[in-house]
Amino acid sequence: MIKQPLTYCLAATALLLAACSNNDDDFYATPGGLYAGTLSASSLQDSTYAIIDESGFGRMIDSTSGDYYRLSLSNKDLSLSGTYQEYPASGDAAVSGDFSGRLTDQGMKGSFIVSGSTVSSLSALFDNNYFYRSNLNLLVGNWSYSASGDSFSVSLGINSDGSFTGSDSSGCDYAGAFSVFDSDFNAYHVSYTLTCGITHSSYSGVAAYYYADSQYPAGIELMADDSNGNYLAVQVLSAPATAAAAQVAAPASAKGSPARPAPAVLRHTAAG
């Protein structure tokens, strides 16, 4: 995404926007951002959501198919390139390939390429919620996902240092930590050990915080994997009675952004 050093300008109200610079020399571009868009292959168009930090380390979920992507991107000016691994929701073998695209003032566009052939095309809009500053104190409290008709649920308790423990309905336990990569941006790193019986797996990934809005309480969008095809993509919501973050108001409007992703879970794990 094309950015301005005073990044809050792009997330501010119209009044503040008028004060932002219009000098092209004041702008720069990185892959970093929250992105919502479409992934097109043949005549199909799937909805996608991605979290990518300023270094290009990211994760993406195809919320239509449930397929999961590990991303490693870099840019030279507006040209975007990198590699990816796709973990099919079916549990089929992972697919590795290249990504080639371009950053725009609205987000990014590009192609996923395997053995020289384009297999799908991405068109994604930038979500200005990325410009909210990250702070581990926002994550403190109890967070959970559960939904009518969904047999899977997960609960996490997060401490002020970012460490957390939790459990899910499959009988698995979580122990790990969130960390701040760059406090200017709303992208967190996350790592944890998933223990299911006598099996221990190390997961890593990214997360983003969403302030409470008129539709949902505060939420954490989390995407992590074990690098072997097992992954979890979920939005956990704050428990209003215990999570201080549920009472925090957003510092500024993020008008013009794509809609916040709905709380949902997409996962594949050999543990169930």
Side-chain angles (χ1 to χ4, degrees):
M1 171 68 181
I2 300 173
K3 303 179 177 74
Q4 192 170 356
L6 295 176
T7 53
Y8 62 82
C9 287
L10 296 180
T13 63
L15 180 62
L16 289 178
L17 279 170
C20 292
S21 171
N22 291 316
N23 186 341
D24 288 344
D25 293 337
D26 291 336
F27 291 83
Y28 70 104
T30 75
L34 310 179
Y35 296 92
T38 56
L39 190 65
S40 303
S42 300
S43 59
L44 301 177
Q45 281 197 337
D46 291 356
S47 298
T48 63
Y49 177 79
I51 303 172
I52 304 171
D53 73 17
E54 289 296 283
S55 74
F57 173 84
R59 302 291 189 266
M60 184 180 83
I61 193 74
D62 180 331
S63 53
T64 304
S65 69
D67 294 349
Y68 176 97
Y69 294 74
R70 291 169 57 97
L71 304 174
S72 179
L73 306 178
S74 62
N75 70 291
K76 182 177 181 180
D77 298 325
L78 299 183
S79 296
L80 191 61
S81 61
T83 59
Y84 77 96
Q85 283 186 302
E86 176 188 358
Y87 296 155
S90 63
D92 291 344
V95 176
S96 297
D98 299 308
F99 182 85
S100 178
R102 186 171 179 82
L103 296 165
T104 73
D105 57 357
Q106 293 183 317
M108 71 165 68
K109 294 185 177 182
S111 300
F112 291 95
I113 302 166
V114 176
S115 301
S117 298
T118 297
V119 294
S120 58
S121 298
L122 176 69
S123 179
L125 294 176
F126 185 84
D127 182 345
N128 285 329
N129 283 287
Y130 184 67
F131 288 128
Y132 292 142
R133 294 177 63 86
S134 53
N135 186 333
L136 290 177
N137 287 329
L138 290 171
L139 311 186
V140 174
N142 296 323
W143 305 80
S144 64
Y145 167 82
S146 64
S148 176
D150 191 339
S151 61
F152 181 80
S153 62
V154 60
S155 298
L156 304 176
I158 305 177
N159 302 310
S160 59
D161 63 355
S163 64
F164 69 90
T165 57
S167 60
D168 66 31
S169 54
S170 298
C172 299
D173 295 321
Y174 299 69
F178 292 89
S179 59
V180 171
F181 175 77
D182 186 329
S183 61
D184 285 335
F185 302 105
N186 179 16
Y188 299 80
H189 288 182
V190 61
S191 61
Y192 61 87
T193 298
L194 180 69
T195 301
C196 303
I198 61 173
T199 302
H200 306 275
S201 302
S202 297
Y203 279 63
S204 63
V206 289
Y209 176 84
Y210 278 88
Y211 287 90
D213 56 30
S214 60
Q215 190 171 9
Y216 303 114
I220 301 171
E221 187 77 24
L222 183 156
M223 291 187 273
D225 63 85
D226 67 351
S227 75
N228 290 310
N230 299 308
Y231 59 85
L232 174 67
V234 65
Q235 185 175 155
V236 289
L237 300 179
S238 63
T242 57
Q247 309 302 322
V248 178
S253 172
K255 293 179 180 179
S257 293
R260 170 180 171 176
V265 64
L266 294 164
R267 78 194 223 284
H268 173 262
T269 172

